[in-house]
mmCIF file of all heavy atoms in Angstrom:
data_model
loop_
_atom_site.group_PDB
_atom_site.id
_atom_site.type_symbol
_atom_site.label_atom_id
_atom_site.label_comp_id
_atom_site.label_asym_id
_atom_site.label_seq_id
_atom_site.Cartn_x
_atom_site.Cartn_y
_atom_site.Cartn_z
ATOM 1 N N ALA A 145 -28.973 -50.294 -34.940
ATOM 2 C CA ALA A 145 -29.765 -49.675 -36.006
ATOM 3 C C ALA A 145 -30.641 -50.666 -36.737
ATOM 4 O O ALA A 145 -30.469 -50.921 -37.926
ATOM 5 C CB ALA A 145 -28.848 -48.958 -36.996
ATOM 6 N N PRO A 146 -31.635 -51.279 -36.046
ATOM 7 C CA PRO A 146 -32.515 -52.199 -36.762
ATOM 8 C C PRO A 146 -33.398 -51.460 -37.738
ATOM 9 O O PRO A 146 -33.607 -50.254 -37.614
ATOM 10 C CB PRO A 146 -33.343 -52.827 -35.621
ATOM 11 C CG PRO A 146 -33.356 -51.783 -34.560
ATOM 12 C CD PRO A 146 -32.023 -51.089 -34.641
ATOM 13 N N PRO A 147 -33.925 -52.152 -38.736
ATOM 14 C CA PRO A 147 -34.830 -51.500 -39.686
ATOM 15 C C PRO A 147 -36.077 -51.002 -38.980
ATOM 16 O O PRO A 147 -36.368 -51.392 -37.849
ATOM 17 C CB PRO A 147 -35.167 -52.630 -40.680
ATOM 18 C CG PRO A 147 -34.059 -53.616 -40.522
ATOM 19 C CD PRO A 147 -33.621 -53.522 -39.099
ATOM 20 N N PRO A 148 -36.858 -50.117 -39.595
ATOM 21 C CA PRO A 148 -38.081 -49.614 -38.978
ATOM 22 C C PRO A 148 -39.015 -50.745 -38.600
ATOM 23 O O PRO A 148 -38.989 -51.823 -39.188
ATOM 24 C CB PRO A 148 -38.694 -48.731 -40.082
ATOM 25 C CG PRO A 148 -37.543 -48.359 -40.945
ATOM 26 C CD PRO A 148 -36.588 -49.502 -40.899
ATOM 27 N N GLU A 151 -40.979 -52.715 -41.123
ATOM 28 C CA GLU A 151 -40.244 -53.578 -42.035
ATOM 29 C C GLU A 151 -39.557 -54.722 -41.314
ATOM 30 O O GLU A 151 -39.151 -55.687 -41.933
ATOM 31 C CB GLU A 151 -39.192 -52.766 -42.804
ATOM 32 C CG GLU A 151 -39.786 -51.675 -43.672
ATOM 33 C CD GLU A 151 -38.707 -50.906 -44.391
ATOM 34 O OE1 GLU A 151 -37.527 -51.259 -44.236
ATOM 35 O OE2 GLU A 151 -39.042 -49.953 -45.112
ATOM 36 N N PRO A 519 -25.789 -41.858 -45.125
ATOM 37 C CA PRO A 519 -26.189 -42.935 -44.245
ATOM 38 C C PRO A 519 -27.098 -43.920 -44.946
ATOM 39 O O PRO A 519 -27.911 -43.551 -45.788
ATOM 40 C CB PRO A 519 -26.920 -42.215 -43.098
ATOM 41 C CG PRO A 519 -27.391 -40.937 -43.709
ATOM 42 C CD PRO A 519 -26.361 -40.564 -44.725
ATOM 43 N N SER A 520 -26.957 -45.193 -44.595
ATOM 44 C CA SER A 520 -27.759 -46.243 -45.205
ATOM 45 C C SER A 520 -28.785 -46.732 -44.200
ATOM 46 O O SER A 520 -28.482 -46.887 -43.028
ATOM 47 C CB SER A 520 -26.854 -47.410 -45.635
ATOM 48 O OG SER A 520 -27.618 -48.493 -46.085
ATOM 49 N N PRO A 521 -30.021 -47.015 -44.625
ATOM 50 C CA PRO A 521 -31.026 -47.497 -43.693
ATOM 51 C C PRO A 521 -30.690 -48.863 -43.140
ATOM 52 O O PRO A 521 -31.099 -49.218 -42.052
ATOM 53 C CB PRO A 521 -32.302 -47.541 -44.544
ATOM 54 C CG PRO A 521 -31.819 -47.640 -45.957
ATOM 55 C CD PRO A 521 -30.547 -46.858 -45.994
ATOM 56 N N THR A 522 -29.939 -49.647 -43.900
ATOM 57 C CA THR A 522 -29.517 -50.964 -43.423
ATOM 58 C C THR A 522 -28.044 -50.903 -43.102
ATOM 59 O O THR A 522 -27.227 -50.631 -43.983
ATOM 60 C CB THR A 522 -29.779 -52.034 -44.490
ATOM 61 O OG1 THR A 522 -31.164 -52.021 -44.807
ATOM 62 C CG2 THR A 522 -29.380 -53.400 -43.970
ATOM 63 N N PRO A 523 -27.632 -51.134 -41.849
ATOM 64 C CA PRO A 523 -26.239 -50.953 -41.471
ATOM 65 C C PRO A 523 -25.332 -51.991 -42.102
ATOM 66 O O PRO A 523 -25.737 -53.110 -42.382
ATOM 67 C CB PRO A 523 -26.280 -51.121 -39.941
ATOM 68 C CG PRO A 523 -27.461 -51.997 -39.690
ATOM 69 C CD PRO A 523 -28.455 -51.637 -40.733
#
Side-chain angles (χ1 to χ4, degrees):
E151 298 179 2
S520 173
T522 302

